[in-house]
Amino acid sequence: LLKTMDRLTVKLAKKVIYVSPSLMNAAKKNGVCHISKSVIIGNGSSNGVDLKAFSIQQVNGEKQENLINKNNLKGKKVIGFVGRVSLHKGSYELVKGFEEVQKKHPDTVLIMVGHMRCSKPLETQIKNNPAIIHFPFQNDVQLYMSLFDLLVLPSWREGFPNVPIQAAAMGIPVIVSNATGCIDSVKDGFNGMIFPVKNVEKLKEALFSYIQDEKLRKKHGANGIIWANNFSNKKIWANLSTFYSELK
């Protein structure tokens, strides 16, 4: 039923904007894409990211220090996650991979920011591990991202996720799955790493790479600021404006 509605919508549309290249490829694969009508704005993204807001310089230093002290984060390596703590966001794989890393590196911490939407067993597992800190949904997500040494988004599917770009803009290296949308949000080997979706072993390897190699972590973090410029909301808006003005 959903595919039929997509086919009808695309057939009637003059142009179809896809928010990521991999999403357009998925539409082709599922037979709901008209190539001649298909458009991607810039490198992808639905609305771009406010790079000024997602800058480490914009973070309130006092609030950041308070969070560090309150959660005993000094001297710790912090792995971050922002999103719903749920099955399709890859939370199960992340917790499992983190606990493997934790065995060899007890100074690591996992911070998960977002609504808890997982099973009770996983929620209990998270709450019972003192090295996993859960914060509910936050409006000031930049403040919490400023605590991260790296960010992970192991999602099973996305359209185009903004979180990896937001983290990159703050100089944070990013690990994502190769799921639709996610794969377009990171430049593998430049500002982050991409691992096969649901593959805990490969996720664990990526985590170890950054935890054990500070030089690589800092290099990819610095590259992230460059990468994020491709997704500036101002660039996306300018491209959208041009696209709409050229429609006849």
Side-chain angles (χ1 to χ4, degrees):
L1 177 63
L2 290 173
K3 284 185 179 180
T4 299
M5 291 304 298
D6 273 354
R7 290 189 186 102
L8 179 61
T9 302
V10 170
K11 184 178 181 179
L12 296 175
K14 191 168 186 177
K15 291 288 183 181
V16 180
I17 299 175
Y18 291 92
V19 295
S20 68
S22 59
L23 186 63
M24 186 172 76
N25 289 335
K28 290 179 189 175
K29 184 178 178 181
N30 285 285
V32 294
C33 178
H34 286 229
I35 302 300
S36 61
K37 297 182 178 183
S38 301
V39 177
I40 298 169
I41 304 297
N43 287 30
S45 179
S46 57
N47 194 43
V49 169
D50 185 344
L51 301 184
K52 185 177 180 181
F54 283 90
S55 167
I56 196 67
Q57 284 76 30
Q58 298 298 316
V59 173
N60 184 304
E62 185 178 345
K63 290 183 178 179
Q64 181 192 48
E65 190 67 20
N66 287 339
L67 278 174
I68 290 171
N69 293 332
K70 184 178 180 180
N71 295 283
N72 193 29
L73 298 178
K74 283 190 177 177
K76 305 288 179 66
K77 295 290 187 301
V78 180
I79 299 167
F81 168 88
V82 176
R84 293 186 310 280
V85 182
S86 65
L87 179 70
H88 290 167
K89 286 290 185 179
S91 302
Y92 294 79
E93 295 92 329
L94 177 55
V95 170
K96 189 173 181 180
F98 168 72
E99 290 187 337
E100 289 296 312
V101 171
Q102 188 186 8
K103 291 175 185 176
K104 290 189 177 181
H105 298 277
D107 61 336
T108 55
V109 172
L110 172 61
I111 291 180
M112 307 182 82
V113 182
H115 297 301
M116 191 72 77
R117 296 288 186 268
C118 62
S119 66
K120 284 296 179 183
L122 182 64
E123 186 174 350
T124 300
Q125 186 178 353
I126 290 170
K127 289 179 178 178
N128 288 345
N129 188 333
I132 302 179
I133 303 168
H134 174 255
F135 293 104
F137 176 85
Q138 301 291 326
N139 289 318
D140 189 6
V141 69
Q142 302 95 314
L143 173 62
Y144 291 82
M145 278 188 175
S146 73
L147 306 174
F148 302 168
D149 290 291
L150 61 135
L151 177 129
V152 186
L153 181 63
S155 187
W156 294 4
R157 62 174 183 267
E158 297 283 343
F160 186 96
N162 286 323
V163 168
I165 306 300
Q166 293 166 348
M170 295 185 70
I172 302 167
V174 180
I175 299 172
V176 300
S177 69
N178 64 352
T180 302
C182 291
I183 198 169
D184 305 300
S185 66
V186 168
K187 188 172 182 179
D188 193 27
F190 180 71
N191 78 299
M193 299 182 189
I194 299 173
F195 72 96
V197 66
K198 302 182 186 180
N199 191 319
V200 176
E201 191 61 31
K202 292 296 182 182
L203 171 57
K204 185 175 70 174
E205 289 176 13
L207 290 170
F208 273 126
S209 294
Y210 281 134
I211 293 298
Q212 296 172 166
D213 192 339
E214 184 179 2
K215 186 177 179 181
L216 178 66
R217 201 167 64 243
K218 287 184 176 180
K219 179 182 178 182
H220 283 188
N223 288 345
I225 298 172
I226 300 169
W227 172 248
N229 282 321
N230 293 308
F231 305 93
S232 159
N233 56 3
K234 292 182 179 179
K235 285 185 179 180
I236 298 296
W237 295 342
N239 287 335
L240 276 169
S241 178
T242 300
F243 168 74
Y244 287 131
S245 65
E246 291 176 353
L247 283 176
K248 296 180 180 177

